[in-house]
Amino acid sequence: MRYSALSIFRQALSGNRNWTPMWREPDPKPHYDVIIVGGGGHGLSTAYYLAKEFGITNVAVLEKGYLGSGNVGRNTTIVRSNYMLEGNEPFYELSMKLWEGLEQDFNYNAMMSQRGVLNLFHSDGQRDAYARRGNAMMMHGVAAELLDREQVRQMMPYLNFDHARFPIMGGLLQRRGGTARHDAVAWGYGRGADSRGVDLIQHCEVTGIRRDELGQVTGVETTRGFIGCGKLALATAGHTSVTGKMAGLELPIETHVLQAFVSEGIKPVIDQVITFGAGHFYISQSDKGGLVFGADIDYYSSYAQRGNLATVEHTMEEGVSLIAGLSRLRVLRSWGGAMDMSMDGSPIIDRTPIDNLYLNCGWCYGGFKATPASGFCFAHLIAKNEPHPVARLLRLDRFERGFAVDEGGKGPQPNLH
């Protein structure tokens, strides 16, 4: 069923009794050309582009819970491409371009809102660093604007400009950045993949990876029995280390918790996405009126989807330092995502030493905004056995080769990125 204003009108006349399910509920087949482990944004987008762009439809997406039950349904919804390094900026700009046409492409309302992303700076050194980042963006053909204090004040008069320790001196603005509805992105990709013949198999946990005497992957053991495959693709985010070990891989990934929060609903105040340069705090306002915000990861490794109170306190302190009026709001809920933190803070999209096993991981804080390009480039890799040009530097072996993509300049320590 194609969604349109006309279809909504027709369904209203029939009492909304004739809508079809968004996707089928198939039983697993004995064998697929490609199995994708992980029914989040990256797994679903990979399946979608495999079918749409490369004509590979004998594909199964295996999800241990329900589709979108992981990080794609529990994040702060930010979309941007204001990166600096060669390995990241072209990749995230491809993602931004795909975001801009995504809703028309898969015929689903993902509530894409290009409201702008502003990164604040609070010192002369930060201003110079953001000027450099903006210049790097423009060298890749991506628009960026370096705003002074008064320009920022005109846009956001409610900010705490005269904070004693962290006065706001300006910011780097990407007007094309913004937000999208996280779970709607998963639903749109899932619906698009299903309509092209991909099997979306929910509540099917992978418990093992079977290999033959030559080391090739032959299929996966699951809670619904053995399923064979020609190629196996892992897109399991915070559980990448767990699924990798099933195939005998030791991966340069640590799993940490990243918490996010939503306040009570208020009248429209924050029109853009704002990041606090004196820490790691970011905030926007949802269509329901709640303020959506987060900060740093919990620095210890954990697979839990909840965090601890020290990080909650730290987040609230940063938020009130940026916008003093936040102290009057109540936080309604918080949640945590299991983040696959790589050793340089940048992702991995690559083949593994096992010929027919493919890896998509290491997204750190950048997983949601990367969803379209991640799926497109991963599908390209699986279909052609060669990396997409914009993902050519996101190799698994870059750490032993000494070619890290260290966007934050913090070295090989995942919990600092």
Side-chain angles (χ1 to χ4, degrees):
M1 176 177 288
R2 182 167 181 80
Y3 295 152
S4 65
L6 180 59
S7 68
I8 294 173
F9 179 73
R10 286 176 173 170
Q11 292 296 332
L13 292 178
S14 65
N16 287 303
R17 290 188 295 269
N18 297 319
W19 292 107
T20 59
M22 289 183 60
W23 50 72
R24 300 166 290 123
E25 292 285 351
D27 292 323
K29 294 189 291 190
H31 190 277
Y32 292 92
D33 294 336
V34 180
I35 287 178
I36 300 168
V37 183
H42 294 233
L44 292 170
S45 62
T46 300
Y48 174 77
Y49 291 119
L50 274 174
K52 179 177 181 289
E53 301 293 335
F54 301 101
I56 301 174
T57 58
N58 186 24
V59 177
V61 178
L62 309 184
E63 169 55 46
K64 68 178 181 179
Y66 57 88
L67 295 182
S69 58
N71 292 351
V72 72
R74 50 175 70 232
N75 63 72
T76 50
T77 75
I78 299 171
V79 173
R80 59 183 176 87
S81 63
N82 54 352
Y83 285 77
M84 183 174 68
L85 297 184
E86 175 65 28
N88 282 330
E89 179 56 31
F91 174 85
Y92 282 98
E93 177 57 17
L94 171 62
S95 201
M96 178 62 73
K97 290 176 178 176
L98 291 171
W99 277 114
E100 289 172 326
L102 186 63
E103 294 165 310
Q104 292 74 25
D105 186 41
F106 61 28
N107 182 227
Y108 198 81
N109 182 13
M111 300 173 68
M112 178 67 178
S113 172
Q114 290 180 275
R115 59 187 66 185
V117 174
L118 181 68
N119 299 120
L120 298 172
F121 57 81
H122 308 267
S123 67
D124 291 340
Q126 271 195 319
R127 180 198 59 222
D128 294 345
Y130 278 150
R132 182 185 179 203
R133 179 178 294 269
N135 288 335
M137 291 168 61
M138 290 188 286
M139 288 175 65
H140 286 99
V142 182
E145 302 173 46
L146 194 68
L147 307 183
D148 62 24
R149 177 188 178 99
E150 292 310 311
Q151 289 173 305
V152 174
R153 191 191 298 273
Q154 290 176 11
M155 296 174 63
M156 306 165 185
Y158 49 83
L159 298 179
N160 187 0
F161 286 86
D162 299 314
H163 192 287
R165 292 180 63 192
F166 310 118
I168 295 172
M169 300 176 65
L172 180 66
L173 175 65
Q174 183 183 26
R175 293 188 185 273
R176 291 167 57 229
T179 63
R181 173 74 186 187
H182 42 26
D183 41 15
V185 173
W187 300 334
Y189 273 124
R191 179 175 173 271
D194 173 85
S195 68
R196 289 168 171 81
V198 173
D199 283 356
L200 308 179
I201 304 172
Q202 304 179 80
H203 307 291
C204 180
E205 182 176 359
V206 172
T207 57
I209 296 175
R210 189 182 295 184
R211 299 169 62 185
D212 62 18
E213 62 276 5
L214 299 177
Q216 295 280 312
V217 172
T218 59
V220 291
E221 306 286 352
T222 78
T223 51
R224 298 180 65 174
F226 175 77
I227 308 173
C229 65
K231 295 180 177 181
L232 180 63
L234 303 181
T236 54
H239 286 80
T240 295
S241 298
V242 175
T243 51
K245 283 182 180 179
M246 294 178 186
L249 296 178
E250 293 288 339
L251 299 172
I253 297 292
E254 287 184 2
T255 299
H256 293 259
V257 179
L258 177 62
Q259 296 185 68
F261 306 85
V262 176
S263 79
E264 60 185 318
I266 58 175
K267 292 181 179 180
V269 175
I270 300 178
D271 296 330
Q272 297 84 13
V273 178
I274 309 169
T275 72
F276 182 45
H280 189 193
F281 177 87
Y282 37 93
I283 188 168
S284 63
Q285 188 164 13
S286 75
D287 294 330
K288 293 181 178 180
L291 302 184
V292 183
F293 54 93
D296 286 304
I297 58 172
D298 288 41
Y299 287 104
Y300 56 89
S301 295
S302 173
Y303 292 99
Q305 291 182 320
R306 62 186 185 277
N308 68 27
L309 291 175
T311 301
V312 175
E313 181 180 26
H314 172 71
T315 303
M316 303 307 159
E317 286 175 345
E318 288 192 289
V320 174
S321 294
L322 176 63
I323 306 172
L326 292 184
S327 61
R328 295 187 170 194
L329 289 181
R330 291 172 293 184
V331 174
L332 294 188
R333 63 185 183 277
S334 67
W335 66 93
M339 312 297 291
D340 41 328
M341 305 295 293
S342 68
M343 303 305 290
D344 62 358
S346 293
I348 300 166
I349 302 177
D350 201 3
R351 300 173 65 181
T352 71
I354 303 168
D355 283 344
N356 61 341
L357 180 62
Y358 302 81
L359 189 62
N360 179 319
C361 66
W363 292 103
C364 304
Y365 295 90
F368 180 69
K369 64 185 70 70
T371 302
S374 168
F376 192 92
C377 292
F378 201 31
H380 182 283
L381 176 69
I382 295 166
K384 295 181 175 292
N385 273 333
E386 59 184 38
H388 189 280
V390 304
R392 70 188 188 282
L393 300 182
L394 305 179
R395 292 171 52 171
L396 175 59
D397 66 354
R398 67 178 184 264
F399 305 101
E400 63 176 315
R401 293 168 52 245
F403 285 85
V405 185
D406 188 358
E407 187 78 26
K410 297 174 181 175
Q413 193 164 341
N415 66 359
L416 294 182
H417 287 284

